[in-house]
Amino acid sequence: MQILNKVTAEHRYPFKIFVVQNDVIQTVAQVAKLDSNLLNIEIIKFYKSLFRSKDQGYIMMIIEKNLFYPVMHIFR
């Protein structure tokens, strides 16, 4: 997860292609179901780095596929 956060921040366009082709955001959302505190922190950091990139493609993908619900479940 830390690698995903670093790559999101530094390699925006090449990583975006990788994310779209391999459904990385959906996989991270599925990992949120494990209820591990350390993983949950890294998942929140990953979503934060996606939103910090201000890329409309990421935001639209999260909204269209309803991938923000697992993060909200972590905060509950």
Side-chain angles (χ1 to χ4, degrees):
M1 291 300 300
Q2 292 176 352
I3 294 172
L4 288 175
N5 292 335
K6 186 167 181 72
V7 173
T8 303
E10 294 180 6
H11 305 286
R12 295 180 189 216
Y13 184 73
F15 185 67
K16 182 178 179 181
I17 294 170
F18 178 79
V19 167
V20 171
Q21 290 177 348
N22 296 310
D23 297 327
V24 173
I25 301 173
Q26 293 171 342
T27 306
V28 170
Q30 291 174 354
V31 171
K33 296 177 184 176
L34 297 177
D35 289 332
S36 169
N37 289 337
L38 293 175
L39 277 176
N40 289 344
I41 291 169
E42 293 300 323
I43 290 168
I44 291 169
K45 287 180 182 179
F46 175 69
Y47 273 83
K48 182 179 175 182
S49 65
L50 288 177
F51 288 124
R52 186 177 288 159
S53 70
K54 297 180 184 176
D55 190 337
Q56 291 297 324
Y58 290 142
I59 296 169
M60 292 305 296
M61 183 185 303
I62 290 170
I63 291 170
E64 288 174 358
K65 296 184 180 183
N66 200 18
L67 298 174
F68 199 65
Y69 179 74
V71 175
M72 296 309 296
H73 180 71
I74 290 172
F75 285 113
R76 265 195 245 154

